[in-house]
Amino acid sequence: MRKLWGGRFDAGDMDRKVLDFSTSLNVDKVLVKYDCIATKAHVETLARAGHLSSGEKKELLKALSSLLVMVEKGKWEASGFEDVHSAVQSYVESRAPRAAKKMHTGRSRNEQVVNDVRLYSREALSKIDGLIGSLQSALVDLAEKERDAIIPGYTHLNRAQPVLFAHLIMSYVEMLSRDRERFREAFKRNDVCVMGSGALAGSALELDRVFTSEKLGFSDISSNSMDSVSDRDIMAEIVSAAAIASVHLSRMSEDLILYGIPEFGFIEIGSAYCTGSSLMPQKKNPDMLELIRGRSAGVISALNSLLILLKGLPHTYNRDLQEDKKPFFEALFSVSECLQMMAGIVPTIKVRRKRAQEVMADEFIYATDIAEYLVRKGVSFREAHDAVGGIVKYCCEKGINISDLSIKELKGFNRSLSGDVYGLLNPASSVKGKRTQGSTNPKMVGREIAKWKKKLAKKG
Ligand code: ARG
């Protein structure tokens, strides 16, 4: 295989072992489409600067277009090359041998690989943006469908206060909207063309960088050729957004897994997303959620790998940087797959209201509501907290519920407690009683659902 750098070396092919060890083709072949697109823009730039005749330009563009067609049809295969850039060069040489000798004029693989990854990322990020939007829409639909269902809310994995199931679901919509913003921010910083940076110092040829950038649809060109070929912070930033999103999906999975097991039993997940046990006939396991939770480990590792790879690398390009792509592609693939899977699972979720109601018949979950009731009657919060704590302790010892206590007994704990307190001891009153913005009050949750429906419809 002809190398892109043979001249300085003695004749003879690269040792097979060395090639096998150093090739990145298996990983960077996913960049072939972008390498062709970027090379076409480079060819146009070269022609514009007078380094290619219009005949040569046509020949090269034709060869690159035919490679693109093969790639799109899934018919492109290559092996034995150092990397995707060498493979593309070799293909063009086979189609336009003379013109191909000029194709690499004024550019380096150091900038090429950065540019290809940026083109790849633009598409990958747009796809992820859409996937997050779809998952958010599925969540909003579920919240709307189950808008009056109430479940126990937890802190420290202990029953805390009743919440609308829709409130929990809408909390995921919020969390995902921040993920979406993070990816969008990264998109902006990624949307910069580095071509014209050369190996590290730029080029002595008159290459119109703005022209190349516009051809490729980038918003801007980079300002420092050394930075352009050496940094990988955009990749780290994208993977960091992916890692945070994966952790979010993992936490959401954990909630759904927990709420689905019989010990909680508040929701049911569609059987299509569960599997059985080869041994235990009764099992219906939420494997897809467990896999989403598990896959986040790989995305976190990808971020770790990238940062460790970069730390301590001198400017500018070092071959170590080739190792950035595997974790990068894997992270983006994984987060996209998990988003898609979660968007499939969400519409199959059903709330088991009766079970939730049974759990909330244990009235300690309304303790905070009683304390705030007392505060509304002018009792200091500390006093109120102590009084209700006393009620809970007493009921625990007796093995009874709060509503089993008579008004007289209740007044023994605080004089301001009166008959209307019994009306607080049910899930509906508890959620309706919330007054702050962003609370689980059904009116406020309803408004949030409406707001997000509108927002998501606009974004498409
Ligand atoms: N495969 C290489 C990478 O991913 C492409 C750049 C190679 N540059 C070089 N000077 N060897 O980093």
Side-chain angles (χ1 to χ4, degrees), residues 66-357:
S66 76
L67 178 51
L68 266 174
V69 171
M70 275 173 68
V71 169
E72 252 140 51
K73 285 188 181 157
K75 287 200 173 135
W76 179 72
E77 266 173 49
S79 63
F81 295 100
E82 262 187 277
D83 51 32
V84 67
H85 323 294
S86 318
V88 170
Q89 174 72 32
S90 160
Y91 178 86
V92 176
E93 276 169 15
S94 72
R95 288 302 190 99
R98 285 173 60 85
K101 286 195 196 320
K102 293 188 178 172
M103 193 169 79
H104 205 59
T105 308
R107 74 170 177 177
S108 157
R109 282 181 294 166
N110 299 356
E111 54 180 339
Q112 225 177 318
V113 70
V114 173
N115 213 60
D116 289 357
V117 169
R118 287 183 182 220
L119 289 172
Y120 170 93
S121 301
R122 262 194 342 206
E123 271 186 32
L125 292 177
S126 301
K127 187 178 159 211
I128 289 174
D129 189 72
L131 291 174
I132 296 179
S134 303
L135 175 53
Q136 286 180 305
S137 296
L139 287 164
V140 173
D141 288 349
L142 176 64
E144 187 163 50
K145 196 173 79 191
E146 300 279 7
R147 65 187 310 156
D148 51 356
I150 305 173
I151 59 166
Y154 287 79
T155 64
H156 310 270
L157 210 50
N158 269 291
R159 262 175 237 160
Q161 292 184 278
V163 287
L164 281 187
F165 173 72
H167 197 45
L168 170 71
I169 294 302
M170 293 306 290
S171 77
Y172 302 139
V173 174
E174 290 292 332
M175 151 184 121
L176 287 164
S177 80
R178 291 190 297 277
D179 289 328
R180 204 173 189 187
E181 277 169 27
R182 264 184 286 274
F183 281 117
R184 286 181 176 190
E185 276 300 311
F187 185 99
K188 279 192 245 161
R189 270 185 284 282
N190 174 70
D191 197 17
V192 173
C193 186
V194 299
M195 291 314 290
S197 300
L200 80 163
S203 173
L205 306 175
E206 199 72 52
L207 303 175
D208 185 342
R209 292 193 61 202
V210 174
F211 174 80
T212 322
S213 167
E214 280 171 2
K215 279 262 155 223
L216 293 172
F218 282 111
S219 302
D220 206 352
I221 60 168
S222 59
S223 303
N224 182 305
S225 59
M226 291 180 82
D227 178 49
S228 300
V229 296
S230 106
D231 219 322
R232 292 295 183 275
D233 64 23
I234 303 297
M235 291 169 87
E237 184 177 0
I238 293 170
V239 175
S240 153
I244 297 172
S246 296
V247 167
H248 282 162
L249 291 175
S250 179
R251 292 188 70 183
M252 187 176 155
S253 297
E254 174 63 11
D255 281 349
L256 299 175
I257 291 167
L258 270 182
Y259 294 160
I261 60 171
E263 282 73 2
F264 287 75
F266 307 136
I267 59 167
E268 209 168 319
I269 313 286
S271 344
Y273 293 93
C274 299
T275 59
S277 157
S278 57
L279 178 71
M280 300 166 282
Q282 84 282 14
K283 296 278 266 175
K284 181 183 157 192
N285 298 324
D287 290 32
M288 301 313 121
L289 289 168
E290 292 170 18
L291 283 168
I292 293 173
R293 190 177 58 190
R295 297 248 163 104
S296 64
V299 186
I300 297 165
S301 312
L303 178 59
N304 214 14
S305 298
L306 273 178
L307 294 175
I308 295 170
L309 179 70
L310 296 178
K311 156 193 188 309
L313 267 194
H315 270 49
T316 53
Y317 181 83
N318 301 272
R319 191 66 179 268
D320 315 42
L321 291 174
Q322 178 169 295
E323 301 302 305
D324 61 358
K325 279 171 280 307
K326 194 163 182 274
F328 183 72
F329 294 146
E330 282 175 359
L332 291 189
F333 181 74
S334 176
V335 75
S336 304
E337 255 202 325
C338 291
L339 284 165
Q340 236 161 330
M341 183 52 58
M342 194 59 106
I345 295 171
V346 166
T348 73
I349 295 173
K350 288 198 179 70
V351 181
R352 296 179 64 214
R353 293 162 191 237
K354 237 182 91 197
R355 165 68 186 158
Q357 199 77 35

